[in-house]
Amino acid sequence: AQKVTQAQTEISVVEKEDVTLDCVYETRDTTYYLFWYKQPPSGELVFLIRRNSFDEQNEISGRYSWNFQKSTSSFNFTITASQVVDSAVYFCALTEVNFNKFYFGSGTKLNVKP
Amino acid sequence: DTAVSQTPKYLVTQMGNDKSIKCEQNLGHDTMYWYKQDSKKFLKIMFSYNNKELIINETVPNRFSPKSPDKAHLNLHINSLELGDSAVYFCASSQAGGEGGDTQYFGPGTRLTVL
């Protein structure tokens, strides 16, 4: 069964718009970890955030914010005032307790147009 | 200084050949991984080593063989390359003993093209 679903395949916005990338996960574990990574056109995978299942506080880092809701099994990512440099594929990932095996979502490609 | 490095960055080869991709991390991490990213950008784990010991071995053809000479290196050897092996291969590392929750740091990727 797919553990991480990113239903939005591709999103296009105009610079300065806010955009939210959705991530829904599935797990039977009570302890688990969620991540977001960014893959810009240059191809590398850049770590953005890590969250454990016991910490439901939302997090803000500059223009980035994350909304973790266990009730809906979601870990959504919002970019405020998007910029062209935000154009990338964004991946959500889940790992469970026993092994640090990442289950990646299929990614959301974000296009930010000037 | 590059934290996780891979060589080569690009690899173009003929079907049937054998090739290797090398990975090194200078983060002092205990665990290293190989992932495959297909043409649709889907990322899937292949292997994981903790202190030179294999701890994750997904359903991967046995033509793929990882080798970890020490905890800072994890190489991937591929025998009898097939067209379907064309993909981007990422190496990653994480600090602790392979238990869940450690952040993984990725190398720049190796784009393998099999002709």
Side-chain angles (χ1 to χ4, degrees):
Chain A
Q2 188 172 7
K3 292 189 180 263
V4 179
T5 301
Q6 294 180 256
Q8 303 151 308
T9 307
E10 188 164 354
I11 301 175
S12 292
V13 298
V14 176
E15 213 172 12
K16 297 184 185 175
E17 286 185 8
D18 299 346
V19 58
T20 296
L21 310 182
D22 297 334
C23 173
V24 173
Y25 62 90
E26 175 191 334
T27 180
R28 294 179 182 175
D29 284 8
T30 53
T31 302
Y32 52 90
Y33 301 83
L34 296 162
F35 298 79
W36 277 93
Y37 284 80
K38 173 182 180 180
Q39 187 173 38
S42 49
E44 71 272 24
L45 282 157
V46 179
F47 164 71
L48 295 178
I49 190 170
R50 169 186 182 269
R51 173 66 80 226
N52 75 51
S53 53
F54 298 108
D55 183 1
E56 285 194 76
Q57 270 196 326
N58 291 333
E59 177 143 347
I60 298 175
S61 175
R63 296 184 297 106
Y64 295 172
S65 62
W66 289 269
N67 183 355
F68 177 29
Q69 293 205 342
K70 286 176 78 169
S71 59
T72 55
S73 297
S74 65
F75 186 43
N76 297 337
F77 172 31
T78 297
I79 302 175
T80 303
S82 59
Q83 299 176 0
V84 172
V85 293
D86 296 327
S87 296
V89 180
Y90 291 87
F91 291 95
C92 181
L94 164 78
T95 179
E96 294 161 333
V97 173
N98 290 331
F99 291 100
N100 208 22
K101 181 163 74 171
F102 275 24
Y103 296 95
F104 279 94
S106 52
T108 297
K109 184 176 182 182
L110 175 64
N111 302 306
V112 182
K113 301 176 183 177
Chain B
D1 285 342
T2 305
V4 183
S5 59
Q6 295 178 229
T7 53
K9 190 164 173 59
Y10 300 97
L11 187 50
V12 180
T13 188
Q14 299 286 333
M15 252 184 4
N17 284 350
D18 302 339
K19 289 293 178 186
S20 291
I21 306 172
K22 295 186 176 181
C23 178
E24 176 180 1
Q25 55 96 2
N26 62 8
L27 296 167
H29 287 170
D30 287 337
T31 307
M32 296 184 72
Y33 311 80
W34 278 109
Y35 286 83
K36 179 180 180 181
Q37 186 174 44
D38 64 23
S39 58
K40 296 186 178 179
K41 295 282 192 180
F42 186 66
L43 274 157
K44 192 171 190 308
I45 191 166
M46 300 171 69
F47 302 103
S48 174
Y49 270 75
N50 173 248
N51 271 322
K52 303 192 294 175
E53 182 181 344
L54 182 66
I55 56 171
I56 296 175
N57 185 357
E58 291 295 284
T59 308
V60 175
N62 57 15
R63 299 182 294 103
F64 289 79
S65 53
K67 291 223 171 21
S68 181
D70 55 60
K71 74 173 192 177
H73 296 84
L74 180 61
N75 304 323
L76 183 65
H77 189 75
I78 315 170
N79 288 328
S80 303
L81 278 155
E82 300 177 358
L83 293 176
D85 298 332
S86 295
V88 180
Y89 292 85
F90 284 97
C91 177
S93 72
S94 67
Q95 186 165 15
E99 294 175 357
D102 287 338
T103 299
Q104 294 184 20
Y105 296 92
F106 286 80
T110 296
R111 182 175 293 277
L112 171 64
T113 304
V114 182
L115 303 175

